[in-house]
Amino acid sequence: MTQCEKKLCGTCLLRNPWKGRGLAHTEEERRENGLTGLLPAAVETRAQQVARWKELIAAQSTPLNKYLMLDTVRMIDEALYFQLVVENVEEYMPLIYTPTVGEACQKFSHIYRAPRGLYITAKDAGHVREVVANVPNEEVDIIVVTDGQRILGLGDLGANGMGIPIGKLALYTACAGVNPQRALPVTIDAGTNNEEFLADPLYIGLRQKRMDEDSYYALIAEFVAAVRERWPNVLIQFEDFQNTHAFALLDEYRNKVPCFNDDIQGTASVVVTGFYSAMRVKNEKLSDQRILFLGAGSAATGIAHLLADAMVEEGTSREKALGNIFLYDSKGLVSGRRTDKLAANKLPFAHDVECASTFEDAIRQLKPTAIVGVSAQPKSFNAEVVGMMAEYNEHPIVFALSNPTSKAECTAEEAYKFSNGTALFACGSPFAPVELNGKTFVPRQGNNSYVFPAIGMGCIYTRAKSVPNGVFLAAAKKLADLVSAEDLENGSLYPPLSEIRSLSVEIAAAVAEYCFDHDLAQIERPACLKTAVAQAMWNPADPQF
Ligand code: NAD
């Protein structure tokens, strides 16, 4: 919603979520804007309003009800919503994004209350530009777009997927100060193959099966052209597309428009951060590691490519870098000797090695220094697997990244127990601290939120022409630098998420620096990047809101 320019009547002002401030309107504002009598007598501070909503949210018995209560605040007063989220980011992040947003998307048609964002449907083919023209925002800096086909691990949720771009953009603002009035959530409603939704009388999306591939890619192309025509510098973040579409869209657009895919590249950035931190503990080079992935999907290949880039940056040849990385999928070790047809994204990692048919055999064969779980196969990092890793390595790197928690390859407790406290562990789901051998380990989640909001902010600030992989490495390096010696000592490969706002300033500045150094920026370089980025961050407590 844009800020309305003309003077609003008292009621309209109070109902406008960008203008109305409820009881925080001063006596003078009440007199000037015809609000006298429309509000009770109390004049409150923002802090009092925050306290009331916190109480109301806390009183809700389920995460989904808390999600809805937060959404209610947003419908009434956007700045207050963001103030609540910024001040309580660790507590509310799981409500506005995973895991609660998953349930919200599953039930989106049944909890739908008010429009937000832009829906482009299969029926709009040929007219997308007119649909985009209906967006009231004069300026849009960033779009998060999904087609709802692979929402988290929940499959095809069709138009219900809109909860994802909405939630993700809220995190861009909460974590890195992206201006929410210049952020647009988009759902490409290309139909759904979800039979339950198609039969649901309250389903909000297009009631048809998914479009054929050619029409689908044509619709996306029309969307990209239309938004670029209206907002030439807009950054497009692809989110929760099905694997083959995700890679195809990234390949198609990465060199043409400023865009990225967080599932592939944001994940890679945060996992490479974990590796950089592990290298600080091991005092070794990344290019000397031998890394075995369990899983060979979007996450695995995205991470693997960025790891190879990071090794090349250390001075290793690409051939040797790729040779350090191995994938293991549902059919066994990905090897050049496999007889089945391998997907294109696996080929660079299909080395001329024996095709081990169990993960344990692959570990015996390759003796990796690191295993990375992105297979959604729970408990696959068992006592034997982690035990072998600890036998071969003083500090085995064990990243169990599959989520939700029920899908994790191992828990934090298992990783530390099975390795007798030697594992360098990172996880995809949050785990509580673990006591072992008189020491407290503090495992931290490789949460994409450490990087994507700041990457977005850095690219928006510089009006980046494109978003190459180097941006994700720059973010990873900066984040790893921000991990304290004390964090590393406690087993944490990431800093505390509660510090996200200040971490984001540093990471966004590092991203901006990369953009300036690589001729991607379209603004003049300021004297101090950190100060300039910090000043460009939207702040809900700013008096102008
Ligand atoms: P995907 O569907 O693209 O890939 C899954 C891969 O697992 C496929 O290559 C498949 O062959 C493999 N697999 C399935 N069964 C297997 C088995 N029995 N043994 C070995 N491999 C098997 O999914 P994705 O997007 O790559 O995500 C995978 C997991 O990683 C999910 O649980 C996701 O939630 C998690 N993930 C975590 C983060 C994070 O922590 N930041 C980010 C992205 C994805």
Side-chain angles (χ1 to χ4, degrees), residues 150 152-153 241-243 247 262-264 266-268 270-271 293-301 303 328-332 345-346 359 373-377 380 400-404 407-409 427-429 445-449:
R150 199 236 60 188
L152 308 170
F241 283 77
Q242 172 251 82
N243 202 346
F247 280 103
D262 186 53
D263 305 312
I264 300 171
T267 297
V270 85
V271 177
F293 285 81
L294 182 66
S298 341
T301 49
I303 301 164
Y328 186 100
D329 68 12
S330 55
K331 298 196 178 109
N345 56 329
K346 299 181 190 176
F359 192 60
V374 269
S375 62
Q377 299 303 306
S380 39
L401 300 179
S402 290
N403 49 37
K407 301 275 186 197
E409 285 78 7
C427 37
S429 308
Q445 194 187 353
N447 192 323
N448 293 27
S449 303

Side-chain angles (χ1 to χ4, degrees), residues 298-374:
S298 341
T301 49
I303 301 164
H305 276 291
L306 197 65
L307 278 169
D309 287 352
M311 291 179 195
V312 170
E313 212 189 57
E314 283 182 347
T316 303
S317 70
R318 183 156 298 272
E319 194 187 353
K320 181 170 178 303
L322 294 172
N324 288 336
I325 301 170
F326 297 83
L327 310 178
Y328 186 100
D329 68 12
S330 55
K331 298 196 178 109
L333 188 63
V334 172
S335 145
R337 299 183 199 171
R338 281 250 296 252
T339 49
D340 57 315
K341 191 172 181 313
L342 291 172
N345 56 329
K346 299 181 190 176
L347 290 177
F349 307 100
H351 309 305
D352 185 20
V353 289
E354 260 178 61
C355 321
S357 56
T358 68
F359 192 60
E360 288 79 353
D361 280 348
I363 293 182
R364 266 180 223 106
Q365 182 183 327
L366 300 169
K367 301 202 172 35
T369 59
I371 50 174
V372 181
V374 269

Side-chain angles (χ1 to χ4, degrees), residues 141 176-179 457 460-462 501 523 529-539:
D141 292 333
V178 166
N179 186 338
M457 187 63 210
I460 290 169
Y461 171 71
T462 55
R501 206 80 188 174
I523 60 162
L529 265 175
K530 231 173 83 178
T531 310
V533 167
Q535 281 169 354
M537 283 168 70
W538 184 87
N539 183 354

Side-chain angles (χ1 to χ4, degrees), residues 353-482:
V353 289
E354 260 178 61
C355 321
S357 56
T358 68
F359 192 60
E360 288 79 353
D361 280 348
I363 293 182
R364 266 180 223 106
Q365 182 183 327
L366 300 169
K367 301 202 172 35
T369 59
I371 50 174
V372 181
V374 269
S375 62
Q377 299 303 306
K379 304 288 169 207
S380 39
F381 290 176
N382 53 30
E384 189 185 356
V385 164
V386 180
M388 272 194 287
M389 288 298 292
E391 194 187 318
Y392 300 143
N393 300 283
E394 188 187 344
H395 282 298
I397 297 172
V398 177
F399 289 179
L401 300 179
S402 290
N403 49 37
T405 317
S406 59
K407 301 275 186 197
E409 285 78 7
C410 66
T411 62
E413 191 174 2
E414 287 164 345
Y416 294 125
K417 206 171 79 189
F418 298 157
S419 66
N420 198 22
T422 61
L424 299 174
F425 178 74
C427 37
S429 308
F431 286 111
V434 174
E435 304 279 339
L436 186 77
N437 304 337
K439 182 175 169 177
T440 305
F441 294 87
V442 183
R444 292 224 171 101
Q445 194 187 353
N447 192 323
N448 293 27
S449 303
Y450 280 116
V451 290
F452 74 77
I455 289 172
M457 187 63 210
C459 291
I460 290 169
Y461 171 71
T462 55
R463 293 203 216 121
K465 290 181 231 168
S466 65
V467 193
N469 263 2
V471 161
F472 298 90
L473 270 190
K477 260 191 243 158
K478 178 51 74 178
L479 178 57
D481 285 350
L482 296 168

